[in-house]
Amino acid sequence: MTDPINIQPDLMRSVRELFGIDSDLQVPAFRERDDYVPDVDEAYRFNPDVTLAILAGFTRNRRVMVQGLHGTGKSTHIEQVAARLNWPCMRVNLDGHISRLDLVGKDAIVVREGVQVTEFQEGIVPWSLQRPVALIFDEYDAGRPDVMFVIQRILERDGHFTLLDQNRVIHPHPHFRLFATANTVGLGNLTGLYQGTQVLNHAQIDRWNIVAKLDYLPRDEEVAIVLGRVPSKDSDKGRKLIASMVAVANLTRQGFATGDLSTLMSPRTVITWAENCEIFRSPALAFRLSFLNKCDEAERPIVAEYYQRCFDEELDEARVREADPT
């Protein structure tokens, strides 16, 4: 891979031209792609408000957090903006195994001219900070509290980073950018959906300049995304099938919002369902294997009823509900 340390944006692009958003904003971009630039996904659909928030991060060096339910495409949204700007991008998942040493760096034994020597190897934070890289902290609200404070100083726009092991202060590259995604806003697992998320220090949350909320897309746009992922369904019959699938997904989301269900179908699940239809050739079987078996057993009759409403086809689980209406 090429090291992007010496490159910088060399042209300005129109937001209207790149994303079809009615805005006169011009955003810096790179003329050439390198190995760190994500691949462009032509099927991706951009939320205009969230896109503008992310572009403000790239243009004005704002720290941007994208919050929303699972499967809404939060991380992909940032990556796809970066892909269209040819902006190098690094994505780090803050799972429970990420330690302070992973972020900061550590001493390691390496071989130099046939001799083993100990030298300091930079972690992802100092490496990215010195380059024109968009660093994305994925699952930000799942990070361990002791690890999160490593990030606190660089959340400030010109925040320097001190490497204590080397007595060195790292100044951020002028085109370093910082983003994060989260299912919650640092208030913990209030809905019960996101086990493992943490209650975050509010002083750290306050350092994020922009917090954008990404909701599920309108029905027609979600249908277009699924068709983009499963192009074999792009026929009259296939479009009708996908529209029914999205209708079931919307009913599960409404059921979750009213407290009838403890889980819901994300766009990712709808895409998986459509892909599984290609394998099993049965929407009902693919639905059961893609989503229904993930639901609480007591809630499966409700989900089966949603399926019956949209497909006019009864599942075995719906008959269970009729036999036991309680």
Side-chain angles (χ1 to χ4, degrees):
M1 287 188 176
T2 58
D3 192 330
I5 191 168
N6 294 319
I7 65 173
Q8 60 182 350
D10 51 3
L11 75 161
M12 300 295 291
R13 298 296 303 273
S14 165
V15 170
R16 185 177 285 105
E17 174 189 331
L18 281 179
F19 302 100
I21 298 174
D22 187 17
S23 171
D24 295 328
L25 181 66
Q26 297 284 319
V27 61
F30 296 85
R31 197 177 305 274
E32 302 291 336
R33 298 175 64 86
D34 73 4
D35 298 323
Y36 293 97
V37 177
D39 294 330
V40 173
D41 181 359
E42 298 293 349
Y44 192 80
R45 295 294 188 274
F46 291 92
N47 177 292
D49 291 343
V50 175
T51 301
L52 288 174
I54 294 170
L55 289 172
F58 281 107
T59 307
R60 299 299 182 97
N61 195 16
R62 311 301 285 170
R63 304 305 192 223
V64 181
M65 176 186 289
V66 181
Q67 182 267 331
L69 294 172
H70 59 286
T72 51
K74 299 180 293 296
S75 304
T76 307
H77 205 308
I78 301 170
E79 286 184 326
Q80 286 306 305
V81 172
R84 284 155 176 79
L85 300 177
N86 288 337
W87 204 295
C89 186
M90 294 291 290
R91 181 172 165 181
V92 180
N93 193 309
L94 290 179
D95 58 55
H97 294 286
I98 289 289
S99 67
R100 185 180 186 279
L101 295 178
D102 294 320
L103 295 181
V104 176
K106 56 188 174 183
D107 289 329
I109 298 176
V110 297
V111 177
R112 298 290 185 196
E113 299 179 355
V115 179
Q116 287 187 343
V117 297
T118 300
E119 67 177 32
F120 182 80
Q121 290 189 337
E122 293 176 343
I124 190 63
V125 170
W127 186 91
S128 301
L129 200 62
Q130 300 171 81
R131 291 164 172 80
V133 165
L135 177 59
I136 305 171
F137 286 123
D138 208 9
E139 309 298 345
Y140 187 77
D141 50 352
R144 292 181 2 223
D146 58 317
V147 174
M148 302 305 289
F149 282 105
V150 173
I151 302 167
Q152 185 138 331
R153 183 67 179 92
I154 64 171
L155 282 174
E156 298 175 12
R157 186 183 308 177
D158 298 315
H160 303 155
F161 189 77
T162 303
L163 280 176
L164 298 178
D165 295 337
Q166 294 191 308
N167 295 326
R168 182 161 66 100
V169 176
I170 296 176
H171 298 269
H173 190 282
H175 300 291
F176 167 76
R177 299 294 184 263
L178 185 61
F179 299 91
T181 68
N183 294 127
T184 72
V185 286
L187 300 178
N189 184 32
L190 298 178
T191 64
L193 275 180
Y194 302 114
Q195 298 293 333
T197 54
Q198 309 283 347
V199 177
L200 299 181
N201 186 297
H202 191 72
Q204 185 170 120
I205 294 295
D206 193 52
R207 282 174 160 82
W208 289 95
N209 307 127
I210 297 173
V211 177
K213 182 174 176 57
L214 184 59
D215 289 318
Y216 293 127
L217 292 168
R219 177 173 176 172
D220 291 344
E221 292 189 32
E222 189 168 345
V223 169
I225 287 178
V226 178
L227 288 173
R229 298 290 189 184
V230 191
S232 60
K233 296 295 185 186
D234 195 5
S235 63
D236 290 342
K237 182 179 179 181
R239 284 190 290 272
K240 183 178 178 181
L241 175 66
I242 299 300
S244 297
M245 290 178 172
V246 173
V248 174
N250 283 331
L251 287 175
T252 67
R253 295 162 195 169
Q254 295 170 17
F256 175 79
T258 58
D260 293 334
L261 296 180
S262 58
T263 187
L264 52 81
M265 288 185 70
S266 70
R268 183 188 299 120
T269 305
V270 180
I271 293 170
T272 300
W273 181 10
E275 291 171 339
N276 286 342
C277 278
E278 293 293 280
I279 301 172
F280 301 106
R281 302 296 176 182
S282 167
L285 177 58
F287 176 68
R288 182 174 285 106
L289 298 176
S290 304
F291 178 71
L292 188 61
N293 289 345
K294 299 177 184 178
C295 299
D296 185 284
E297 191 168 350
E299 297 174 353
R300 290 178 189 175
I302 300 175
V303 179
E305 183 179 315
Y306 294 159
Y307 182 92
Q308 192 276 332
R309 288 188 206 173
C310 299
F311 281 86
D312 196 25
E313 177 184 347
E314 196 171 86
L315 300 178
D316 292 340
E317 287 80 2
R319 287 192 284 271
V320 172
R321 183 175 174 84
E322 290 176 4
D324 184 11
T326 58

